[in-house]
Structure formats: C-alpha cells, structure tokens
Amino acid sequence: MDKSVYPYFDMYSRDGSNISFERWTDSRSVDMHRHEYYELLFVGQGSCRHMYNSTETLLIQGDVVIVAAHRVHGFSLSGQTLIYNCQFLLESLDERVVHALRGYEAFAEDTGLEEDANSCEEKTLLTERETYYHHGQLRIGYELNSSKQGVVHLNPMEIPFVKSVLQHGVDVQESTEHISLLMKQKYLEVFLLELTKAMGRQNQMYAVCSKSNQKAVADVLMLIEEHLDETLDFNEIAREYSFSPNYFRKIFKDITGFSPITYVNRLRIVRACEYIQRDNMPIREAAERVGIYDLNYFSRLFKKIMGCAPSKM
C-alpha cells in the first residue's frame, strides 16, 4: 500500500508542551499510521507486537522502541500488558539533551546528521538473516528483527527506575500548571538520557567485536533458531568455533546483549507467547514446542521474562 494513504495521528496531549505521556493496560490494536512527532514505546509488562521498518517484532518486558517522526508503524497489545507511550517534538527538549541524542539513527534526521557508512554496515550485518523458513513457513527472528527496529533492551536494574520516571510523567499529564509542564519535560529528558546510556552500551559492546566473531555469532543464532526445542551445549558449540567457553560467552553477549542461556530463555518464551497468542495453543503444548517440559518451570520463567503468567496473555 502507498504510504501516502497512511493517516497522521495527533498527539495525545494538547497542553502546548509538545510532550505527552500515556499508560496503556488494555488490549488494543492500532493500524499503520504516522505522526509529526517522535514516539517511544516502553514495555513494562507482557508484550507488544510492533510493525515498523518493514518488520514485525514482539517486544517484551524491558524493551524500548523509538519511532521517528513521519515513519509508518502500527502495533497490537493483548493480554495483561503494560505499555508506557511517550510522544514529543525535539524542540520541546533542552538542547543539551538533543545533543546527547546525536549520532543515534532514529534522531539523525531531525538533528541533521548522517550515519557513517561503516556504522550502517555494522548495524545491518546480522539483519541479513532476519527472515528464514521454519517448518515450511516464513518466520521472523526476534533478536535479529528487533535490531532492525532499533530496539533498546534495558537491563534489570534500569527497568524499575524507568518505570518510575514514566509513571511520574503520567501522573502530571493532566495538570496544566506551569510547574507540571516543566516536570513533564524533565521526566522525559531523564528517560531519554537513560535510554542514550543503554543505546551507547549496546553499540559499544557490539563495535568491539570483529566481523569474523560477528559472523560466528550470527551462525550460532541461526543454530539456536533451528534447534530451539532441543538441549543446547554452548561449551561444545564454542569448541566447534575454536573459542573457549568464556570467550564465546563474552562475544555472544557483546553482540546480542545477552548471555547464551538468557538469550535462549527469552527466545523460547517469546516463541511460546506467539504460539499462545497467535495460534491459541494450550500453554503446555506451547511450552513443549519450545523445549520446556516442566510446566511449573515454564510458568516461572514466563513470568520472569514477560512480567505476567502465561494464562494472562
């Protein structure tokens, strides 16, 4: 469909601050659209299926996605989900915060910057594998897909702090007092600065890896996808690539942001979530489909990663 037909949405808040906070806890679907402002989606609990940059990604607890102005996107929430949504124009921010955002792709257009060609090559190296065939169906890989969408993965220490900041933004949203408008701006700026720190950490860890190591990890990611329901011996996998187990774990985390075990657990839960939501598959069957046969363990792991029980999806 021609992008020109996608509607423009107005900002939720019209108090003149050009900043808006929303907190969503209901199930909803929003068709493909665009807007003149930037939008940030933070998943505080559950999951959000997000369509952006020609890909569809399942965002889960602790994920943040940045949607640039005028870019087409859409999303859907289901089950027990908590999403914080921020909408803003760059001119509403302190210029020092805008400066801190410089260099990140989502903000490059408005800041007048162009990405370095080598940086683009590094960012797209793994996306070449983002689609693949699985049991005769075209599937999309979670982590690879999310890299194309520019997803930032907050660590467990950052998530509660970011939640608190965003909730404060929501709390002052409806007030029109001057100090409330200023507080709303400052809450957003704190969130953005925390986000730039996380983005910088991800980019720095990725940049130190050689292309041969990137290729090796990309091959392992494909191996994980193809054998997700099996027991994976990462020590043996490391030896196959002539890496020591410790070094392999290091470069895997540098590139993906997760240890191999954490990555596999997240991917298993994301896949199971897709089976439950999309295919209406029974919870036990979804767990077994991703290689987890202890239902109690599956429920504990699901709640740890998604923030809610599988029955709430």
Side-chain angles (χ1 to χ4, degrees):
M1 183 182 293
D2 186 349
K3 289 185 178 181
S4 63
V5 306
Y6 293 124
Y8 270 86
F9 282 10
D10 291 330
M11 187 176 291
Y12 170 73
S13 173
R14 301 183 183 181
D15 57 15
S17 67
N18 289 325
I19 296 173
S20 178
F21 286 89
E22 292 185 81
R23 183 178 186 269
W24 303 332
T25 56
D26 56 329
S27 298
R28 64 173 72 186
S29 294
V30 179
D31 292 336
M32 302 299 284
H33 65 282
R34 50 187 174 172
H35 29 67
E36 295 181 348
Y37 49 80
Y38 281 87
E39 185 171 16
L40 295 173
L41 293 172
F42 167 73
V43 184
Q45 179 177 294
S47 65
C48 170
R49 192 175 297 277
H50 189 242
M51 290 71 72
Y52 183 51
N53 280 344
S54 303
T55 63
E56 180 176 312
T57 292
L58 189 66
L59 307 172
I60 66 174
Q61 186 180 36
D63 288 347
V64 183
V65 66
I66 305 165
V67 181
H70 307 289
R71 302 295 293 275
V72 176
H73 78 122
F75 52 85
S76 63
L77 322 177
S78 60
Q80 191 173 341
T81 301
L82 170 62
I83 301 290
Y84 286 97
N85 177 274
C86 300
Q87 306 164 358
F88 63 96
L89 298 177
L90 283 182
E91 54 262 35
S92 63
L93 304 177
D94 186 306
E95 62 180 16
R96 291 170 296 180
V97 176
V98 176
H99 180 76
L101 299 172
R102 296 170 69 87
Y104 295 108
E105 181 179 4
F107 299 100
E109 193 170 308
D110 274 4
T111 54
L113 297 177
E114 295 183 359
E115 283 193 302
D116 178 79
N118 293 329
S119 174
C120 289
E121 182 180 353
E122 288 179 352
K123 288 183 180 180
T124 59
L125 177 64
L126 294 182
T127 65
E128 294 175 0
R129 296 176 46 260
E130 69 186 5
T131 56
Y132 59 96
Y133 283 94
H134 182 70
H135 300 309
Q137 294 181 333
L138 186 65
R139 297 290 303 280
I140 300 177
Y142 167 64
E143 292 301 337
L144 306 181
N145 187 6
S146 68
S147 69
K148 186 170 183 179
Q149 288 209 6
V151 177
V152 180
H153 305 293
L154 300 183
N155 65 40
M157 298 294 290
E158 294 166 334
I159 292 173
F161 173 72
V162 165
K163 268 189 183 179
S164 175
V165 170
L166 294 176
Q167 185 58 53
H168 283 312
V170 170
D171 291 342
V172 301
Q173 174 64 56
E174 301 306 324
S175 175
T176 57
E177 296 181 9
H178 176 70
I179 191 168
S180 296
L181 299 182
L182 181 60
M183 289 173 67
K184 192 163 63 165
Q185 175 190 344
K186 296 308 176 185
Y187 288 139
L188 174 60
E189 290 174 348
V190 168
F191 176 38
L192 286 169
L193 292 174
E194 192 73 20
L195 197 59
T196 59
K197 183 177 70 174
M199 287 191 290
R201 180 181 64 242
Q202 287 184 185
N203 292 345
Q204 183 177 23
M205 292 174 68
Y206 181 79
V208 299
C209 292
S210 66
K211 290 187 177 181
S212 61
N213 285 350
Q214 292 172 14
K215 177 64 166 58
V217 171
D219 290 343
V220 173
L221 292 178
M222 179 63 78
L223 179 70
I224 291 171
E225 299 279 3
E226 294 173 346
H227 301 277
L228 191 60
D229 60 342
E230 302 174 18
T231 299
L232 296 166
D233 185 343
F234 287 108
N235 288 341
E236 179 61 31
I237 291 172
R239 284 191 287 271
E240 290 179 5
Y241 286 91
S242 301
F243 296 139
S244 70
N246 287 339
Y247 183 69
F248 171 73
R249 285 192 290 270
K250 178 185 181 303
I251 63 172
F252 190 98
K253 187 171 184 179
D254 286 346
I255 290 175
T256 68
F258 302 103
S259 69
I261 295 299
T262 300
Y263 180 93
V264 169
N265 284 339
R266 283 172 64 98
L267 189 57
R268 281 176 170 158
I269 295 304
V270 166
R271 288 283 178 261
C273 184
E274 290 178 337
Y275 293 141
I276 294 168
Q277 289 185 322
R278 183 193 61 205
D279 302 332
N280 294 316
M281 188 178 291
I283 292 172
R284 182 179 295 277
E285 184 179 348
E288 293 177 354
R289 183 70 69 86
V290 297
I292 302 177
Y293 298 93
D294 183 332
L295 192 57
N296 289 329
Y297 172 71
F298 174 78
S299 296
R300 291 195 303 271
L301 186 62
F302 193 101
K303 188 169 185 179
K304 178 181 178 181
I305 292 174
M306 304 299 289
C308 63
S311 60
K312 300 296 185 180
M313 297 306 295

